[in-house]
Amino acid sequence: MSKTKFLFLIPVAIAVAGITLYFTYGRSSARSTQVMGWIRDPSSRPELMMSASTKCGDAPFIFPTDGLIGFIWDDSFRPGHRHAGIDIFSGTEVGVTPILAAYPGYLTREADWISTVIIRVPEDPFEPSRQIWVYYTHMADPQGNSFISSEFPAGTKEVFVKVGTVLGYQGNYSGDPGNPVGVHLHISVVQDDGFGKFKNELDIENTYDPSLYFGLPLNANVNPDTIPVCE
């Protein structure tokens, strides 16, 4: 082996070792191990797959896409990170798996949003006096080719959508063409700022535990090790 190749392999080996250690010993490691196995072979665990439009019990939201729930609210799949929503992995190529509106509301797509839309729900089904927002993202390929439905062009403001409306398709856009994420939908329930705007979704303190909305155990503090499915 040449010295150049050897030096190249060192950081790769360190990165792989770090990921392995984190998934093995970190929080939610049992769930992460299952997710990694499924990613290698999406046909291996059909019992873990959820179907779009499924409603779990009497929960108000429908399931928004086909796939496996890989990471849930307050998961920590990398050190120092608290996951603010849920990630649903389709096991398909980009631009194939539809994403549906989980609940009716008023859709906005900011002018610079390539892979994201957010839907304003004027009355939270659990607290009608408060407004919430439902955030959907990763609907583009690594180069930023958007898979958001053409009826919602950039700059769309306050367009009413019914539950089940096709919003776009799962992608793997991360903002860095050289480092795409896995093909999935990230969805979260975001707080209103009290002035009719949504808070920053990246901060978990600005989001709500989505468990009741979907009728699934989606809080990692309560469900540290299993992949949620409808019973």
Side-chain angles (χ1 to χ4, degrees), residues 157-170:
K157 297 286 187 183
E158 289 288 300
V159 172
F160 179 75
V161 293
K162 298 179 181 179
V163 62
T165 298
V166 176
L167 305 179
Y169 298 84
Q170 287 192 33

Side-chain angles (χ1 to χ4, degrees), residues 27-28 72-76 82-85 204 218-221:
R27 183 179 175 189
S28 307
I72 62 178
W73 190 79
D74 213 5
D75 253 337
S76 183
R82 297 178 67 197
H83 194 231
I204 193 171
L218 299 173
N219 185 329
N221 302 290

Side-chain angles (χ1 to χ4, degrees), residues 184-197:
H184 73 287
L185 166 69
H186 173 95
I187 182 170
S188 55
V189 182
V190 183
Q191 297 176 10
D192 189 86
D193 68 358
F195 300 96
K197 300 291 184 180

